[in-house]
């Protein structure tokens, strides 16, 4: 007698904010199968995962058959793309600069507190979590508060919790987002171990570095699930025809100084923990830099000094746009020269802003739109909305869009004022391969016009071609500074 499949989906129909994204979808997941699910942004991958986990409403049939003989918990556990957390008073309405605020860290749970509560809830042994923390290089962060973690560290916390639980079916949305190269390899080793112990995996990802345990591949196309081969998964999406960038972005930004950034022996500490140690770095106008380093190396803290968000900037020898920090310029004088995107800025953005309002807010460096823009600003926003293919979504709330389209709106917000300095911190998280290539090509075009660039990215294959220099951080120190030579 054949055993029942663990998941049997028949004629699934699902709407995402009144738009039908999955239509008469069928999928059978047999025992011992581990799947990779891919598809372009907005195709319905996350909606399908949430439906299997019982987190959203749908029409049709989803039958989940747990193995009664298994010692693993009879659960479908879904890991979202990013980690939603609350402070000790149950609030979750954080703002971007709050992560550098001492008072906020005092009202937010530590990693250890969060994990201990999770372990009690699911009756898990903390010693098992400690092994996972060590494997992902996360042990030193047990006493850090949740609000202090970078995007890669938040992802690791999600992964530790899920792998510790060992459910019969584990669905992970974008498991590799924000992880450095070593962490991705370690994670694949952990996936091999957990599948060998009986957990079945569904990974939602467009990445190519996968555990060998994943041996079935599917994509969502026009609302249906289509099984594909491993070779098809490795193929690129069809190239989208390039559009011309809006005229206002072809103008060279006015540089206020020869040195955009100059820092000498910068040190940042939280109590006894030193996060940045004797950092010296100079960025000249028009230079294109790649900032890299393992998770927890200090990249986010370094960027927060440049964007004016970190209060310890005043205690250091730091010049921005020709002015020493603390010499009279306000945080807004700095921000008006910078276009910024980061996972953290995205997390803490105003949930009530529409796509159009979110993009226009880039002129004012605000989290949402709180003043009426003039005609020129409205016109430039309309051009970018068209350029990024967001016209039909412009009056929709930003947080109601699929994540990839949210990121495109944020990218439009970042460049709308044609800033002197572009800081792109993991800008392509949540984008599919086609969107990533499209965006990096746009960055290359922008940077032909003299824009200064700092680009943070782990994936060497997903970088703009214009990058010419690299600074590498490790344990809060500068490990190397080098010119990136074009290969001939």
């Amino acid at each position: 007698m054949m055993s029942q499949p663990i998941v049997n989906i028949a004629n699934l129909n699902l709407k995402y904010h009144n738009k039908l994204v999955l239509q008469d979808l069928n999928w059978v997941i047999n025992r011992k199968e581990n799947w990779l699910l891919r598809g372009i942004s907005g195709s319905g991958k996350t909606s399908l995962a949430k439906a299997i986990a019982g987190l959203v409403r749908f029409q049709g049939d989803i039958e989940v058959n747990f193995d009664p003989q298994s010692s693993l918990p009879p659960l479908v556990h879904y890991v979202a793309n990013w980690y939603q957390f609350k402070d000790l008073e149950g609030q979750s309405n954080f703002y971007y600069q709050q992560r550098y605020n001492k008072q906020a860290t005092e009202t937010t749970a530590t990693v250890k507190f969060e994990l201990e509560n999770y372990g009690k809830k699911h009756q898990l042994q903390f010693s098992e979590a400690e092994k996972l923390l060590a494997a992902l290089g996360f042990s030193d962060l047990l006493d850090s508060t949740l609000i202090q973690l970078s995007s890669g560290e938040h992802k690791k916390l999600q992964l530790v919790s899920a792998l510790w639980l060992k459910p019969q079916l584990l669905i992970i949305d974008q498991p590799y987002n924000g992880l450095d190269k070593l962490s991705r390899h370690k994670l694949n080793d952990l996936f091999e171990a957990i599948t060998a112990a009986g957990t079945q995996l569904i990974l939602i990802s467009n990445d190519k570095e996968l555990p060998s345990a994943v041996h079935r591949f599917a994509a969502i196309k026009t609302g249906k699930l289509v099984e594909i081969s491993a070779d098809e998964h490795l193929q690129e999406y069809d190239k989208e025809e390039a559009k011309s960038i809006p005229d206002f972005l072809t103008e060279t930004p006015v540089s206020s100084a020869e040195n955009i950034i100059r820092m000498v022996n910068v040190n940042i500490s939280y109590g006894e923990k030193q996060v940045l140690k004797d950092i010296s770095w100079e960025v000249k106008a028009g230079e294109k830099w790649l900032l890299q380093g393992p998770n927890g190396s200090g990249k986010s803290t370094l960027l927060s000094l440049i964007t004016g968000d970190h209060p310890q900037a005043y205690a250091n020898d730091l010049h921005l746009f020709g002015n020493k920090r603390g010499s009279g310029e306000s945080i807004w004088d700095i921000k008006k020269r910078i276009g910024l995107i980061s996972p953290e800025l995205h997390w803490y953005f105003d949930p009530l802003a529409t796509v159009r309002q979110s993009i226009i807010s880039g002129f004012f460096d605000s989290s949402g739109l709180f003043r009426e823009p003039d005609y020129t600003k409205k016109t430039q926003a309309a051009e970018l909305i068209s350029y990024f293919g967001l016209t039909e979504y412009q009056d929709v709330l930003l947080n109601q869009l699929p994540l990839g389209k949210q990121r495109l709106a944020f990218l439009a917000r970042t460049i709308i004022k044609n800033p002197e300095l572009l800081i792109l911190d993991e800008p392509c998280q949540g984008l599919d391969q086609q969107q990533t290539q499209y965006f990096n090509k746009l960055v290359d075009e922008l940077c032909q016009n003299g824009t200064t660039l700092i680009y943070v990215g782990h994936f060497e294959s997903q970088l703009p071609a214009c990058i010419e220099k690299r600074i590498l951080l490790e344990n809060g120190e500068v490990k190397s500074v080098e010119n990136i030579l074009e290969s001939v």
Side-chain angles (χ1 to χ4, degrees), residues 412-430:
R413 177 189 185 274
T414 303
I415 62 177
I416 194 166
K417 60 187 177 186
N418 197 15
E420 192 175 335
L421 171 63
L422 264 183
I423 299 179
L424 306 177
D425 183 1
E426 295 274 8
C428 298
Q429 275 194 20

Side-chain angles (χ1 to χ4, degrees), residues 398-442:
L398 181 74
N399 67 359
Q400 292 186 356
L401 260 61
L403 186 63
K405 287 189 167 48
Q406 288 186 40
R407 295 298 276 184
L408 290 179
F410 259 92
L411 297 172
R413 177 189 185 274
T414 303
I415 62 177
I416 194 166
K417 60 187 177 186
N418 197 15
E420 192 175 335
L421 171 63
L422 264 183
I423 299 179
L424 306 177
D425 183 1
E426 295 274 8
C428 298
Q429 275 194 20
L431 299 189
D432 59 46
Q433 291 164 356
Q434 183 181 20
Q435 289 170 325
T436 298
Q437 291 162 1
Y438 189 69
F439 173 65
N440 283 337
K441 186 172 182 298
L442 166 64

Side-chain angles (χ1 to χ4, degrees), residues 172-198:
I172 307 183
D173 205 340
Q174 306 298 341
Y176 304 101
N177 266 8
L179 298 188
D180 57 52
K181 191 170 186 177
L182 178 61
S183 298
R184 296 197 304 271
H185 287 312
K186 294 280 190 183
L187 177 59
N188 281 341
D189 290 341
L190 293 171
F191 282 151
E192 298 290 357
I194 198 174
T195 52

Side-chain angles (χ1 to χ4, degrees), residues 135-149:
L136 287 173
F138 202 58
S139 304
D140 292 344
L141 291 168
L142 275 173
D143 294 324
S144 298
T145 60
L146 299 181
I147 201 169
Q148 290 175 307
L149 301 182

Side-chain angles (χ1 to χ4, degrees), residues 85-138:
F85 64 93
K86 296 180 179 180
D87 66 17
L88 295 173
E89 296 169 353
Q91 301 297 309
S92 58
N93 53 334
F94 302 102
Y95 58 90
Y96 178 57
Q97 290 88 357
Q98 195 171 355
R99 59 204 297 257
Y100 309 111
N101 180 319
K102 188 172 185 292
Q103 187 180 358
T105 63
E106 290 169 353
T107 59
T108 313
T110 62
V111 170
K112 187 174 184 181
F113 182 87
E114 188 86 344
L115 286 173
E116 284 177 339
N117 277 357
Y118 183 85
K120 286 173 189 169
K121 179 182 175 183
H122 295 286
Q123 299 178 310
L124 302 170
Q125 296 295 320
F126 198 77
S127 57
E128 291 297 311
E130 289 176 323
K131 294 175 190 173
L132 295 165
L133 291 163
L136 287 173
F138 202 58

Side-chain angles (χ1 to χ4, degrees), residues 8 55 65 122 158 229 251 271 291 324 331 351 422 466 486:
N8 191 353
L55 300 174
N65 302 298
H122 295 286
Q158 286 182 296
S229 68
E251 298 171 13
L291 169 59
K324 188 175 191 312
I331 187 174
L422 264 183
C466 66
E486 292 183 9

